[in-house]
Amino acid sequence: MKRLFPAAALVLLTACTTTPPPAAVSEAVDPYLWLEDIHGDRALTQVKQWNGRTQAALTADPAYERDRAEARAILDDESQIAEPGQVFGDQVTNLWRDAQHPRGLWRQASLASFLAGKPEWQTLIDVDALGKAEGKSWVWHGADCLAPDYNRCLVSLSPGGSDADVVREWDRRTKAFVPGGFMVPEAKSDVTWLDADTLLVGTDWGEGAMTTSGYPRVVKRWKRGTPLASAETVKEGIATDISVGSFAIMDGDTRHVFVRRGTSFYASDTWLMRPDGSLVATPVPDTADIQGIIGGELVAFLNKPLDAFPAGAVVSWPMSGVIAGSSPAPRLVFQPSGKQAVQGVATTDHAIWISLLDDVSGKLVALTRDGNGWRQQSTALPANATVSMVSADDAHDTAFVTVQGFVVPPTLYAVALDGQARELQSLPARFDALTIDVEQHFATSRDGTKIPYFMARRKGASAPAAALIHAYGGFRNPQLPTYLTTEPYRAGPLAKWWVEDGQVYVLANIRGGGEYGPAWHEATLREKHQNAFDDLYAVAEDLVARGLTTKGKIAVSGRSNGGLLAGAAITQRPDLFGAAIIGSPLLDMKRYSHLLAGASWMEEYGNPDVPGDWTFISKYSPYQAVKPGVKYPPVFFYSSTEDDRVHPGHARKMAAKLIDYGNPVYFHEYLEGGHSVGADHAEDAVRAALLHAYLKRVLIEGDRSAP
């Protein structure tokens, strides 16, 4: 596969590095500032106290151990789908985790055996065994193998699961790290093969080498056999850029290398590196996302209109013109219609594969050349489901996709150019789908916009019941229905348990995501961010109007940017929500741009140091919105000490403030992991069981006491 990005190429909270100098602030202004000291003794002592209280209160639930064991069994079940990571000629790779290998096996099988549904796996790297041998808590961050033979690989391993990793050269033939091979020390690096003996490296070169967002600012060319410190500069950005990096795309047997300078979170200037090492600017607009190269055509997704082509379209430029630097005119490849939105694009040797959302229902089309244009071929995949591209086989023009829904177990398909889909593997059913009703409804937001949402509830369940709404609302990241046991960020089987309890589970497609293309996201940028919150409230109130739940019996769940959403919900509408699950959240929007990766996201939220921007940010910033004398619903915060994207101080400080103002707070900060919190299935299972116990205690039993 040459290139596979979602159309919303940057989802909240991509990796970053150092922290910019903190804004001038003192404990007199912010009495909880000490909780920003990530590994400080005082802060960690407080965290462990909160963790202990929460653990003691919720593990006392009679169903806790049963839930934890069931969640762990589901996560570790060897019947899980072995998704193909990459296809290397006649081999396919996969990262496999189970009870015996919680950190994973990177393995390969012949493509023929994989397509036959009986893969014959061969272990390449046992991450658990490697960590044990090296005395490291390694977490797999992927491997980039050099085409066309894919024998030399750049393996990225993170100590404990943070975004920082070590990059090491590994040989697929010897199944060992290359003695004296390339090695980039621990940092949040960006590394690309230029050729077998040369890398393009963006890393922490020393003082001044990182942007204020924490990404590499300088990309250098590093030759084999020379010290890393002697690498030659290829491209530099400025301190206020987001990052400078590189990437490579295959077009048949031709490999093209690009250098990219991210001038903002949603804008990047891109150069093609010619064979002589010179750089030539591409004609791709800085707001567009490059998706691949096919038959000498550079393919990109438009986030903004370009000439006669609307935002949301896919266009191409001839590579001959790009290489020559002649700024060729773009040509239309695909334009979505009606309520469609491009979700993902991939190219193989003779096809462009586009996954679509049509009123948030997934589809896949294959495009092949038809004269000067492109012919569309629909694919024989189940309707009314979530369709996700996993990877593709270039030489055989095959796309691998998963299809699933709330009550439809994930199924892996191999889709051919003629549109025929071959089922390779399906998860076993975890519950009786006939006992659950799934519906899609539309709520009307404050400004009249229709907001879709999906709802699941047990057939015959009494109403009104308690409702759990999960939402995100930012960074072009759509929220799509997945099987009720499979989504770790939504706490694995929590949704299944909740529906089996007779309650209501909802996934809300509020604005800020990519459900209806770029405009759906732009409707929440900067001063318009309140639209996302209003959309959430509209969904909650629609549930009440339908008689499915009542005010105060609704929980909101959100992680990362969704944690900001949930924090705003409880502070703006404590009358509407009775509980909140707030994971790895942004909450102190006055300081967010000075904490870890925060400076990266100012295009989304605004700059709180600019008075005009703080005027609108301050209207929803949850941490500042907490007031004495107001009764807020009991909140469950979860996070990771080692999250080096969103600072754990956000959750810590808001928890402390709520507690000091007399509000009940549940708190679970995992001491390993990263932004996704769980470094392995054991932690994911614990968190799922804790959250179920919390929801039952607060919403069903009505217990608002502190843990």
Side-chain angles (χ1 to χ4, degrees):
M1 183 177 64
K2 321 235 180 45
R3 192 75 167 157
L4 177 59
F5 283 152
L10 296 173
V11 177
L12 170 60
L13 315 181
T14 48
C16 12
T17 316
T18 56
T19 306
V25 67
S26 67
E27 289 196 16
V29 175
D30 182 355
Y32 307 104
L33 193 67
W34 57 277
L35 287 164
E36 291 182 9
D37 186 0
I38 295 176
H39 298 105
D41 290 341
R42 182 184 177 194
L44 285 180
T45 297
Q46 180 63 82
V47 164
K48 291 173 183 177
Q49 286 179 355
W50 288 337
N51 281 353
R53 292 172 193 164
T54 295
Q55 194 86 4
L58 298 181
T59 57
D61 184 302
Y64 169 81
E65 181 53 32
R66 180 200 66 198
D67 285 348
R68 188 207 60 78
E70 181 183 355
R72 183 68 185 271
I74 289 172
L75 291 165
D76 286 341
D77 191 341
E78 293 194 4
S79 64
Q80 62 187 281
I81 289 179
E83 292 188 345
Q86 295 171 292
V87 179
F88 298 152
D90 62 352
Q91 298 286 318
V92 60
T93 65
N94 164 258
L95 183 70
W96 179 264
R97 292 187 175 98
D98 59 23
Q100 287 71 46
H101 309 95
R103 297 299 172 93
L105 295 175
W106 187 45
R107 57 190 191 169
Q108 68 179 13
S110 70
L111 181 61
S113 70
F114 186 82
L115 291 172
K118 298 179 180 179
E120 300 165 353
W121 294 111
Q122 179 184 38
T123 297
L124 298 174
I125 296 178
D126 182 331
V127 181
D128 297 271
L130 178 67
K132 183 177 181 180
E134 297 183 344
K136 296 284 188 178
S137 182
W138 288 130
V139 175
W140 181 258
H141 270 192
D144 174 19
C145 300
L146 179 62
D149 58 21
Y150 302 100
N151 287 325
R152 288 297 178 98
C153 304
L154 297 172
V155 170
S156 298
L157 295 163
S158 165
S162 69
D163 285 337
D165 52 32
V166 176
V167 181
R168 299 157 70 180
E169 185 179 6
W170 186 85
D171 194 316
R172 198 161 60 97
R173 294 162 299 189
T174 63
K175 299 180 181 57
F177 290 103
V178 177
F182 288 118
M183 197 280 285
V184 180
E186 183 181 339
K188 297 182 183 114
S189 304
D190 180 285
V191 185
T192 300
W193 289 105
L194 185 56
D195 57 45
D197 293 313
T198 317
L199 301 181
L200 292 182
V201 180
T203 191
D204 188 350
W205 302 102
E207 185 176 356
M210 310 303 284
T211 68
T212 54
S213 295
Y215 293 87
R217 186 184 62 80
V218 182
V219 168
K220 298 186 180 185
R221 183 188 291 107
W222 182 24
K223 290 284 188 180
R224 185 183 297 279
T226 64
L228 179 59
S230 69
E232 300 176 349
T233 297
V234 171
K235 175 65 67 174
E236 286 191 59
I238 60 176
T240 54
D241 286 341
I242 301 299
S243 67
V244 180
S246 58
F247 60 94
I249 305 175
M250 293 297 294
D251 181 16
D253 294 330
T254 303
R255 192 166 182 272
H256 297 281
V257 177
F258 296 83
V259 173
R260 176 173 53 204
R261 175 189 170 208
T263 54
S264 75
F265 198 80
Y266 297 115
S268 296
D269 296 324
T270 309
W271 293 263
L272 172 69
M273 180 169 280
R274 292 169 166 146
D276 64 2
S278 63
L279 297 178
V280 59
T282 72
V284 180
D286 63 352
T287 56
D289 299 326
I290 294 175
Q291 303 293 303
I293 305 175
I294 175 173
E297 291 285 316
L298 178 63
V299 180
F301 174 84
L302 298 179
N303 290 294
K304 300 283 187 182
L306 175 64
D307 300 332
F309 308 128
V314 179
V315 300
S316 71
W317 293 263
M319 281 297 296
S320 57
V322 175
I323 294 170
S326 60
S327 298
R331 297 184 281 220
L332 182 67
V333 173
F334 179 84
Q335 182 174 326
S337 61
K339 296 181 179 180
Q340 291 182 339
V342 172
Q343 181 190 7
V345 180
T347 58
T348 54
D349 283 355
H350 304 98
I352 299 175
W353 301 87
I354 296 180
S355 62
L356 295 172
L357 295 177
D358 196 337
D359 257 343
V360 205
S361 181
K363 295 181 179 180
L364 180 71
V365 296
L367 307 181
T368 53
R369 285 198 179 279
D370 183 10
N372 291 325
W374 296 89
R375 178 176 63 87
Q376 293 185 31
Q377 171 68 58
S378 59
T379 56
L381 292 170
N384 302 318
T386 294
V387 176
S388 303
M389 282 195 289
V390 176
S391 61
D393 174 6
D394 290 347
H396 300 94
D397 289 306
T398 301
F400 295 102
V401 302
T402 57
V403 177
Q404 62 181 311
F406 277 168
V407 297
V408 178
T411 301
L412 177 67
Y413 291 90
V415 185
L417 268 186
D418 62 4
Q420 294 305 304
R422 182 194 318 179
E423 181 178 324
L424 300 181
Q425 187 183 356
S426 182
L427 282 186
R430 301 291 184 187
F431 52 85
D432 184 354
L434 296 179
T435 64
I436 297 175
D437 285 326
V438 176
E439 302 169 2
Q440 184 185 32
H441 295 294
F442 291 81
T444 302
S445 194
R446 184 177 181 179
D447 64 0
T449 303
K450 297 296 183 182
I451 309 301
Y453 65 91
F454 293 89
M455 180 189 70
R457 58 175 174 163
R458 194 183 69 206
K459 290 182 185 294
S462 59
L468 171 61
I469 305 174
H470 186 86
Y472 185 77
F475 293 88
R476 304 175 182 165
N477 186 13
Q479 295 297 289
L480 307 176
T482 56
Y483 197 51
L484 293 179
T485 64
T486 59
E487 177 52 79
Y489 296 155
R490 300 171 200 159
L494 177 62
K496 178 187 87 81
W497 296 332
W498 194 241
V499 172
E500 289 175 343
D501 289 342
Q503 315 307 325
V504 178
Y505 176 69
V506 171
L507 184 65
N509 305 116
I510 64 177
R511 282 174 289 181
E515 286 87 343
Y516 291 103
W520 201 247
H521 168 244
E522 291 177 2
T524 64
L525 286 178
R526 292 174 50 81
E527 71 276 6
K528 297 176 285 188
H529 209 69
Q530 183 64 39
N531 283 336
F533 310 142
D534 290 342
D535 292 355
L536 171 68
Y537 309 153
V539 170
E541 288 166 341
D542 195 66
L543 293 171
V544 174
R546 292 177 184 275
L548 296 169
T549 190
T550 57
K551 289 185 177 182
K553 296 286 284 185
I554 305 171
V556 57
S557 164
R559 174 184 165 273
S560 198
N561 174 73
L564 169 62
L565 173 79
I570 62 162
T571 52
Q572 292 186 354
R573 294 296 307 273
D575 63 308
L576 185 58
F577 297 97
I581 297 171
I582 302 180
S584 305
L586 285 160
L587 294 166
D588 182 354
M589 298 304 288
K590 182 63 176 175
R591 294 213 5 101
Y592 88 90
S593 57
H594 296 274
L595 299 173
L596 296 178
S600 304
W601 315 317
M602 289 192 289
E603 193 172 3
E604 183 84 7
Y605 303 119
N607 183 349
D609 295 333
V610 174
D613 287 7
W614 178 242
T615 297
F616 57 77
I617 297 171
S618 65
K619 293 179 180 178
Y620 67 78
S621 182
Y623 180 61
Q624 283 74 26
V626 175
K627 306 298 181 187
V630 178
K631 288 187 176 181
Y632 297 100
V635 177
F636 190 116
F637 293 101
Y638 70 86
S639 58
S640 166
T641 307
E642 300 304 322
D643 185 346
D644 47 2
R645 299 187 200 177
V646 175
H647 198 292
H650 284 279
R652 294 174 178 181
K653 294 200 304 179
M654 187 149 171
K657 194 172 187 180
L658 285 167
I659 290 169
D660 284 353
Y661 287 173
N663 297 280
V665 168
Y666 296 79
F667 194 90
H668 180 69
E669 182 177 308
Y670 187 52
L671 300 182
E672 270 200 308
H675 186 54
S676 58
V677 182
D680 52 39
H681 290 166
E683 160 59 18
D684 293 335
V686 166
R687 190 170 66 255
L690 290 174
L691 290 173
H692 189 206
Y694 156 77
L695 287 176
K696 289 189 297 181
R697 176 173 170 145
V698 173
L699 287 189
I700 297 177
E701 299 169 12
D703 186 345
R704 294 180 60 93
S705 62

